[in-house]
Amino acid sequence: MTERIALLGHVLLGLLQQGPAAGYDLRKLFATTPLMTFSDSPGAIYPALRRLERQGFIKGAVEQGSGLRQRRVFRLTRAGVRELKRWLTLPVTRDDIVHRPDQLVARFGFMDDAVGPAGSVRLLQQLQRELTSYLPELRDYAERNGPGMPLSARLALDSGVRSHEALLEWSRAALATYRKARKEDTP
Amino acid sequence: MTERIALLGHVLLGLLQQGPAAGYDLRKLFATTPLMTFSDSPGAIYPALRRLERQGFIKGAVEQGSGLRQRRVFRLTRAGVRELKRWLTLPVTRDDIVHRPDQLVARFGFMDDAVGPAGSVRLLQQLQRELTSYLPELRDYAERNGPGMPLSARLALDSGVRSHEALLEWSRAALATYRKARKEDTP
DNA sequence: TAATGCATGTAAGACGTTACATGATTGT
DNA sequence: ACAATCATGTAACGTCTTACATGCATTA
């Protein structure tokens, strides 16, 4: 009966793994960094942190710092690290690439720190496999149904094809980067 | 005090504009077509249709067809058409391209039917304008913050840059397509 | 008669948005 | 004295997910 965690929860685990932080820090992160397209609203983040703490994945400690209002600084528990790794190493499904490719990329961003380059490479390979099987089907669907659609609908479909193609090219480039980094480590 | 509509509601309006349909038809559409990445769950669609009807944007009529269980077939009201057009012609904001580019593309898919090619072209031009101002900033952020990040995080950022570049290229190709179609109409 | 497909719905719960509230400190 | 910034939270509301319930018709 593992209690479920929403995407925001997992992303918070990923960020906290990079170092302890208070809710306010995390909000600023969402507000200032591109990607990580989450809301910086307190109504989302504070309740999410509370849930994670209740579930035992993070632990907050009041930090009576240099006089400002008290900050509650959170850090991962061992269970939190475990849960983060579980999420990161979930297999890449067809559904992931069709419905939420950006979540996949966000997940990927945490991998080096949490499970190491080997895990990152594994995810990239799975992503490639799924994409190379999905893309022809998508192109096929576009070719079959495109004629008969209004131009803008046909172009919208084309945008979907292109974005998956771009993702595939990215995964190739990323794998090449890991290969190169590997070679430099063991010359 | 215009009552607000969620994305799903607008997409339903867009689909109904292409012809009357029952909830079941719309569910099948979501289940079978790529893109339009919405859930086909009855718990989402039937309440959404109900809301649209309560708000006066669509009107359902029981169709006692060839013996099967009764279907409620919905079609747009005049207010529904108005609301759809309002949504489709909303200006493209920075926020749209940063946080929900696919919603923008979904919107675009309905435009030819609802507001004509001129509207589609307008949206593409706005999209280009926003992208050409956003992309340099994003690249800049990546260059500044990339070093010092773990490799996977750096690559995740790169994926964001690439996907926006792909969107820009798509918008250029789409505009060219409209120009060509225009020329063929008036030779 | 059992399964499958067509077709509509509800109930419980989780989550996010928006808006509001509070409190302390620093700078003007 | 006031505004801005740091910092945490709650309440109301709308919507989505998941799971369940129902009913008719066709096919195996």
Side-chain angles (χ1 to χ4, degrees), chain A:
Chain A
M1 264 354 49
T2 327
E3 280 196 73
R4 304 175 31 95
I5 304 184
L7 176 64
L8 174 59
H10 281 124
V11 169
L12 291 175
L13 291 184
L15 291 172
L16 286 175
Q17 159 229 221
Q18 302 176 352
Y24 192 75
D25 303 327
L26 298 163
R27 284 184 60 203
K28 288 297 114 173
L29 242 145
F30 289 147
T32 54
T33 56
L35 268 67
M36 289 292 94
T37 176
F38 295 94
S39 139
D40 65 332
S41 93
I45 288 173
Y46 290 110
L49 288 170
R50 217 154 242 276
R51 281 195 300 274
L52 291 174
E53 192 172 34
R54 177 174 52 74
Q55 292 167 103
F57 296 133
I58 63 176
K59 184 89 183 64
V62 175
E63 187 193 63
Q64 200 53 280
S66 46
L68 284 177
R69 186 178 174 177
Q70 57 174 39
R71 291 157 55 84
R72 294 200 63 214
V73 176
F74 293 94
R75 52 194 81 226
L76 292 188
T77 62
R78 248 155 311 161
V81 174
R82 216 158 47 231
E83 172 58 26
L84 176 61
K85 285 187 186 168
R86 192 193 63 76
W87 176 59
L88 290 175
T89 54
L90 243 33
V92 176
T93 66
R94 164 71 65 111
D95 214 55
D96 284 325
I97 60 165
V98 176
H99 292 109
R100 26 175 198 283
D102 1 327
Q103 289 188 24
L104 216 50
V105 173
R107 234 173 84 179
F108 178 78
F110 296 121
M111 296 212 58
D112 272 11
D113 266 355
V115 297
S120 308
V121 167
R122 224 157 21 235
L123 184 141
L124 289 171
Q125 284 166 341
Q126 289 179 43
L127 175 60
Q128 264 192 24
R129 198 159 33 241
E130 289 303 321
L131 275 174
T132 48
S133 104
Y134 176 59
L135 254 172
E137 289 179 38
L138 186 55
R139 286 202 199 94
D140 202 62
Y141 179 92
E143 264 175 56
R144 237 197 279 285
N145 299 274
M149 284 183 180
L151 180 52
S152 68
R154 206 153 69 236
L155 288 169
L157 245 180
D158 178 51
S159 164
V161 174
R162 279 163 179 263
S163 85
H164 284 90
E165 284 170 346
L167 195 59
L168 180 56
E169 269 164 58
W170 169 77
S171 74
R172 285 203 249 268
L175 274 174
T177 309
Y178 274 103
R179 268 196 301 277
K180 218 177 94 191
R182 187 82 199 278
K183 225 176 262 172
E184 279 165 15
D185 279 359
T186 57

Side-chain angles (χ1 to χ4, degrees), chain A residues 33 37 99 112 141 155 170, chain B residues 33 37 99 112 141 152 155 170:
Chain A
T33 56
T37 176
H99 292 109
D112 272 11
Y141 179 92
L155 288 169
W170 169 77
Chain B
T33 56
T37 176
H99 292 111
D112 271 12
Y141 179 92
S152 68
L155 288 168
W170 168 78

Side-chain angles (χ1 to χ4, degrees), chain B residues 52-63:
Chain B
L52 291 174
E53 193 172 33
R54 177 175 52 74
Q55 293 167 105
F57 296 133
I58 63 176
K59 183 88 182 66
V62 176
E63 187 193 63

